Amino acid sequence: MNPQRNHPLFRKSLLHRKLVLLSGMLLALASCGDEKETTKSVAEAPVFTLVFMDKTQSVHVDKNYVNEKYRQALTDIVENNMKNKGDKLEVYFIHENTSKARALSLAVRSEKDNVAGANATDMEGIETAFQLSLQKEKSIYLRQLLAKLNQQNTGASNLSTDIWASLPVIAKAGETGSQVKVYYFSDMIESVKGSDRRDFHINPPKDDSQAEQEAKADIKKLDKYTIGSPQVTIVSPFEPTASTKENNPHITHYWQTLFQELGGVSIEEL
């Protein structure tokens, strides 16, 4: 037997090393637990979908191409975003008074029964019952959305396109802690009278450089809206063969720059 191993200092040092090793293992386990909890909370965060439908005179949803494209996009939104209890979808009309034009508010009510302790057969039955209930809700939601899509606006509000006014709506949705997904069914031609506003019908940006300059200048008026990092999709009414005069790419660049300056959000055009 090595007499040094029985020395009190040796035993104390060995005990210290064991305690340090044990502490490290506990910290690692706690860290893994926190990581799993964070991943779980992110995965379970409800989806808050905002749909902004352009109801101004420049967008014609009665045209076959536009109507079919918009119907398919709305179908995909309902199918992909409305999956769990608490997922929400709100529709706002884009016109002269966008921020006060909420047209529809929906929320998933179907809830899956607790599967704790259930056998495979019971779990399959619970999942089937949930999916049947959810699909019934989705069918109702889609009918309501399509009714709003085809609703005509013949009032004076169709003369102005206030897309800026959607920003406080997005900011409010972001305060809920949900995953926010934003869809603009619009040509994105901002058109509001006033010296401090943009009217792209009269003065559209002539190139990407001008579009960036204007977007960055406008940020000074709009950065009070903390919109977070929503996923933004523009569903345009233009056919693939549309000319650049009709579908001005510099207007798209203006919005891409504006949203990125507001929070580095992802933006996609369909």
Side-chain angles (χ1 to χ4, degrees):
M1 182 181 291
N2 190 337
Q4 288 183 344
R5 292 181 180 275
N6 289 324
H7 194 283
L9 287 176
F10 180 84
R11 290 199 301 271
K12 187 175 181 180
S13 174
L14 184 62
L15 179 61
H16 177 72
R17 287 199 298 271
K18 286 181 177 179
L19 287 172
V20 170
L21 182 61
L22 182 60
S23 297
M25 290 172 66
L26 289 172
L27 282 171
L29 286 170
S31 175
C32 287
D34 289 344
E35 206 171 285
K36 285 179 183 176
E37 195 61 40
T38 302
T39 304
K40 183 180 177 184
S41 63
V42 169
E44 291 180 353
V47 176
F48 196 144
T49 303
L50 290 171
V51 173
F52 294 97
M53 291 183 181
D54 199 328
K55 293 295 179 179
T56 58
Q57 59 183 355
S58 62
V59 176
H60 303 284
V61 295
D62 53 336
K63 289 186 176 179
N64 289 339
Y65 173 80
V66 179
N67 198 270
E68 183 55 37
K69 180 178 182 178
Y70 279 10
R71 284 172 65 92
Q72 185 58 57
L74 289 171
T75 302
D76 292 343
I77 288 169
V78 170
E79 189 59 35
N80 297 327
N81 295 3
M82 306 293 278
K83 291 183 175 180
N84 299 294
K85 184 177 181 182
D87 289 344
K88 291 185 67 176
L89 188 153
E90 290 186 352
V91 175
Y92 284 77
F93 288 161
I94 292 176
H95 50 46
E96 184 182 28
N97 194 18
T98 301
S99 64
K100 298 188 188 306
R102 189 172 74 176
L104 195 61
S105 181
L106 306 168
V108 173
R109 295 183 176 83
S110 297
E111 186 173 12
K112 191 184 298 186
D113 289 342
N114 193 340
V115 296
N119 58 35
T121 303
D122 290 342
M123 287 177 67
E124 186 178 345
I126 289 170
E127 180 65 28
T128 301
F130 170 68
Q131 290 299 332
L132 284 172
S133 176
L134 183 61
Q135 289 304 320
K136 190 180 292 183
E137 279 194 85
K138 285 182 177 182
S139 178
I140 295 169
Y141 297 158
L142 185 58
R143 284 202 301 271
Q144 291 176 302
L145 279 170
L146 294 178
K148 294 301 178 184
L149 172 66
N150 293 313
Q151 186 174 322
Q152 298 295 312
N153 176 19
T154 56
S157 65
N158 72 7
L159 299 176
S160 297
T161 308
D162 191 358
I163 300 171
W164 282 11
S166 66
L167 298 177
V169 177
I170 299 171
K172 189 174 180 181
E175 293 172 1
T176 65
S178 303
Q179 301 176 59
V180 180
K181 298 185 179 184
V182 182
Y183 299 84
Y184 289 97
F185 286 70
S186 172
D187 57 13
M188 302 303 284
I189 301 177
E190 179 85 354
S191 178
V192 180
K193 308 302 178 189
S195 57
D196 62 338
R197 296 301 304 262
R198 298 291 172 193
D199 192 337
F200 289 148
H201 278 300
I202 297 174
N203 294 309
K206 294 179 175 60
D207 52 40
D208 281 355
S209 177
Q210 183 184 346
E212 283 187 28
Q213 289 175 5
E214 291 181 350
K216 289 177 179 178
D218 292 341
I219 282 296
K220 296 171 184 175
K221 309 165 198 169
L222 301 171
D223 63 1
K224 60 184 176 182
Y225 301 119
T226 307
I227 65 171
S229 299
Q231 175 185 309
V232 179
T233 302
I234 298 170
V235 190
S236 74
F238 304 113
E239 296 193 41
T241 55
S243 66
T244 55
K245 183 178 180 181
E246 184 183 5
N247 181 14
N248 185 337
H250 311 308
I251 290 178
T252 301
H253 192 69
Y254 166 89
W255 291 109
Q256 288 173 332
T257 304
L258 187 80
F259 277 112
Q260 286 164 4
E261 291 289 323
L262 280 171
V265 298
S266 64
I267 183 166
E268 180 185 6
E269 184 176 17
L270 298 180

